[in-house]
Amino acid sequence: MSGGVVTFEPGARSAWHMHPLGQILIVTAGVGRVQAWGGPIQEIRVGDVVRIPPDVKHWHGASPTTAMTHIAIQEALNGKAVEWMEKVSDEQYGSPAQVSR
């Protein structure tokens, strides 16, 4: 198991990625976004705990105007904890109207 504290500046986000055994995000500051492939963009705030199931393609990051910090926890399978994929485009990142809470 590994974990880390990650801060995204406003508008910053991860690339699409998957974790073989899933991931837990605990938001500790700011406002962010998370999306699973094919699903809606979700707004996340301080105190939210997000559970991403194993092998679900997803991304997470800050809102366009507010930084976001989270604790990310994931476990490795056969020495691999993450598979990085393509960058999240501006269109995929979405507008405020595309975000649900």
Side-chain angles (χ1 to χ4, degrees), residues 7 10-11 18 20-21 27 29-32 38 41-43 53 57 60 63-64 68 77-78 80 88 93 97:
T7 299
M18 295 190 305
L21 297 175
V27 182
V31 179
I41 300 167
Q42 299 290 319
E43 182 181 88
K57 184 176 178 178
H60 37 93
S63 78
M68 187 268 298
L77 178 64
N78 298 321
K80 186 174 184 179
V88 174
Y93 181 70

Side-chain angles (χ1 to χ4, degrees), residues 3-8 26 28 68-74:
V5 176
V6 181
T7 299
F8 292 91
I26 304 166
T28 60
M68 187 268 298
T69 301
H70 63 49
I71 299 168
I73 303 166
Q74 54 281 321

Side-chain angles (χ1 to χ4, degrees), residues 23-27 34 43-44 47-52:
Q23 184 179 49
I24 297 172
L25 305 174
I26 304 166
V27 182
V34 63
E43 182 181 88
I44 53 177
D48 287 347
V49 176
V50 180
R51 289 176 180 83
I52 300 157

